[in-house]
């Protein structure tokens, strides 16, 4: 009688993830962190800049030198706290001059029956609205209407004064897109060729920008050449910074450029919300960031008789200089990398030739 043989089940093979598959998964996870960082950055920057706007060291004045005017100024300051910097100006004419020099946001002319508020809406619509709200509370207590006089109105086709800010968005996005378009050509084209192509693109972008803002939509209704020149200076500065960073940051470049020229730049430009209506962080950025320099410089040209234009041009020039310096460092780095790569290839080719010679000839003959 034959004894039955026990059949043992064959264990299922254990599949281990290959190293290439693991590295692919890790890379995909790392790439998906990018959108999360973009969401976090945009949320922090835009909500941080624009939520709950309150006056922050906003300079206003009461017109008059009488004790009554001084008491009114002190009363308004006491009620507003640190948000307002309230002074007195002797005459209405002097108050108007301070507004056009952008030293004041609003100037209140108190009279028993017809009080008047002077504003410069072209400098900042948000500032004008804030000043109007503040002094309307004063006239409401007196039971009289408030007359608002705009000493520097924006262009008729741009009543809220936001057109220059939207032009800034157009120029910013188009300029750093030029960097991203040229990034894949890093190995095929040298730095000089890419820089010249980018300069040509900036000429085109700034030209299209002033064409749209000027004749098409009348946001810019005069001084086309001056505003175009500032647009070109801004575009070239953004492109130069991005071109220089691309060599060092590689795939991180889009995220960094978005941080520099969208998250921090657009929120501190003063286009929709002035620094006097933002916290100290964005107010500080407004003093030297290139987007703010473009917006305030264009306002200076269009509405304020070129007042303080030099400081805005200086800011744009410094950003361009930083971009040129970064580009020169990047060009030097790329040249050094190219020489190292060529040397490595030559050494590899020499080793291959020696190995081939050893196989064919005696070792002493090679």
């Amino acid at each position: 009688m034959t004894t039955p043989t026990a059949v043992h089940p064959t264990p299922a093979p254990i599949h281990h993830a290959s190293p290439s598959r693991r590295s692919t998964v890790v890379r995909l996870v790392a790439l998906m962190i990018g959108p999360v960082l973009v969401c976090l950055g945009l949320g922090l920057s835009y909500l941080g800049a624009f939520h709950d706007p309150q006056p922050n060291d906003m300079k206003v004045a009461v017109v008059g030198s009488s004790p009554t005017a001084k008491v009114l100024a002190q009363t308004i300051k006491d009620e507003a706290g640190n948000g307002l910097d309230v002074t007195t100006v002797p005459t209405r004419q002097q108050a108007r001059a301070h507004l056009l020099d952008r030293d004041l946001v609003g100037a209140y002319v108190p009279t028993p029956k017809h009080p008047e508020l002077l504003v410069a809406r072209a400098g900042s619509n948000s500032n004008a609205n804030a000043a109007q709200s503040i002094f309307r509370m004063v006239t409401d207590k007196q039971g009289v209407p408030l007359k608002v006089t705009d000493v520097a109105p924006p262009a008729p086709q741009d009543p809220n004064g936001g057109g220059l800010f939207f032009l800034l968005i157009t120029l910013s996005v188009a300029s750093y897109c030029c960097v991203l378009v040229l990034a894949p050509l890093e190995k095929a084209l040298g730095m000089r060729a890419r820089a010249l192509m980018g300069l040509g693109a900036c000429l085109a972008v700034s030209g299209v920008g002033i064409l749209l803002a000027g004749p098409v939509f009348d946001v810019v209704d005069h001084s086309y050449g001056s505003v175009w020149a500032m647009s070109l200076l801004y575009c070239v500065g953004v492109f130069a910074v991005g071109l220089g960073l691309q060599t060092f940051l590689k795939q991180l470049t889009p995220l960094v450029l978005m941080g520099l020229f969208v998250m921090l730049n657009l929120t501190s430009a003063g286009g929709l919300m002035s620094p006097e209506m933002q916290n100290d962080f964005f107010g500080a950025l407004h003093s030297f960031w290139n987007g703010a320099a473009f917006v305030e410089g264009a306002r200076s040209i269009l509405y304020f008789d070129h007042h303080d234009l030099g400081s805005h041009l200086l800011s744009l020039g410094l950003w361009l200089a930083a971009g040129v310096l970064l580009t020169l460092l990047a060009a030097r780095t790329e040249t050094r990398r190219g020489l190292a790569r060529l040397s490595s290839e030559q050494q590899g080719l020499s080793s291959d030739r020696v190995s081939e010679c050893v196989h064919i000839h005696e070792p002493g003959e090679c």
Side-chain angles (χ1 to χ4, degrees):
M1 184 174 179
T2 306
T3 304
T5 305
V7 179
H8 299 282
T10 304
I14 299 175
H15 298 282
H16 296 281
S18 63
S20 61
R21 185 177 180 182
R22 283 198 300 269
S23 63
T24 302
V25 172
V26 171
R27 185 177 180 184
L28 287 174
V29 171
L31 289 175
M32 291 309 297
I33 293 176
V36 176
L37 292 178
V38 170
C39 177
L40 179 64
L42 289 174
L44 288 174
S45 58
Y46 277 82
L47 295 176
F50 299 133
H51 88 292
D52 191 27
Q54 297 290 336
N56 184 7
D57 196 29
M58 180 179 288
K59 293 178 173 58
V60 296
V62 175
V63 177
S65 55
S66 65
T68 303
K70 294 180 180 179
V71 169
L72 176 60
Q74 187 61 46
T75 301
I76 295 173
K77 181 175 178 58
D78 292 341
E79 292 179 355
N82 295 328
L84 290 182
D85 181 3
V86 188
T87 59
T88 57
V89 179
T91 66
R92 183 182 186 279
Q93 184 177 0
Q94 288 177 318
R96 185 179 185 277
H98 283 306
L99 282 165
L100 293 177
D101 288 342
R102 308 195 69 183
D103 296 328
L104 291 175
V105 165
Y108 178 67
V109 185
T111 60
K113 295 183 179 181
H114 304 287
E116 181 186 19
L117 174 66
L118 305 180
V119 296
R121 198 168 292 276
S124 171
N125 190 55
S126 63
N127 280 353
N129 290 336
Q132 192 170 333
S133 298
I134 291 166
F135 287 103
R136 178 156 283 137
M137 289 189 292
V138 175
T139 58
D140 285 347
K141 291 180 180 179
Q142 298 173 353
V144 293
L146 176 65
K147 176 186 176 183
V148 179
T149 301
D150 193 351
V151 300
Q157 299 301 319
D158 185 29
N160 294 322
L164 291 174
F165 175 69
F166 296 115
L167 175 59
L168 172 68
I169 296 175
T170 303
L171 299 176
S172 302
V173 175
S175 297
Y176 80 67
C177 280
C178 294
V179 178
L180 305 184
V181 168
L182 290 173
L185 303 178
E186 181 178 343
K187 293 183 179 179
L189 295 176
M191 180 63 77
R192 181 178 298 179
R194 303 201 314 274
L196 289 174
M197 291 178 66
L199 180 59
C202 289
L203 282 166
V205 166
S206 58
V208 171
I210 192 61
L211 178 65
L212 293 174
V216 175
F217 294 111
D218 285 331
V219 170
V220 177
D221 56 2
H222 65 279
S223 302
Y224 296 148
S226 298
V227 177
W228 170 77
M230 287 201 67
S231 301
L232 178 61
L233 183 60
Y234 173 78
C235 289
V236 175
V238 172
F239 173 77
V241 170
L243 183 64
L245 291 176
Q246 170 64 36
T247 300
F248 303 104
L249 300 180
K250 302 297 183 184
Q251 293 181 342
L252 290 176
T253 304
L255 188 62
V256 173
L257 292 184
M258 183 173 288
L260 288 174
F261 300 119
V262 175
M263 298 176 188
L264 297 178
N265 187 30
L266 301 182
T267 52
S268 63
L272 294 181
M273 197 72 66
S274 71
E276 291 87 1
M277 294 293 292
Q278 293 180 302
N279 58 47
D280 291 338
F281 174 74
F282 291 99
L285 291 182
H286 183 85
S287 64
F288 66 92
W289 219 258
N290 58 346
F294 171 77
V295 170
E296 299 298 357
R299 285 171 173 167
S300 174
I301 292 170
L302 295 173
Y303 305 116
F304 296 100
D305 196 26
H306 299 80
H307 176 73
D308 206 25
L309 178 60
S311 64
H312 306 311
L313 290 175
L314 177 61
S315 294
L316 290 174
L318 290 175
W319 275 86
L320 176 58
V324 170
L325 179 60
L326 275 172
T327 301
L328 292 175
L329 290 174
R332 185 176 180 181
T333 300
E334 288 183 5
T335 301
R336 192 163 55 243
R337 288 174 182 174
L339 292 175
R341 191 183 307 114
L342 180 61
S343 176
S344 177
E345 290 175 355
Q346 289 177 345
Q347 290 178 1
L349 183 60
S350 299
S351 300
D352 292 341
R353 287 178 178 176
V354 170
S355 299
E356 182 180 355
C357 181
V358 168
H359 284 297
I360 296 175
H361 305 284
E362 294 294 330
E365 297 178 3
C366 297

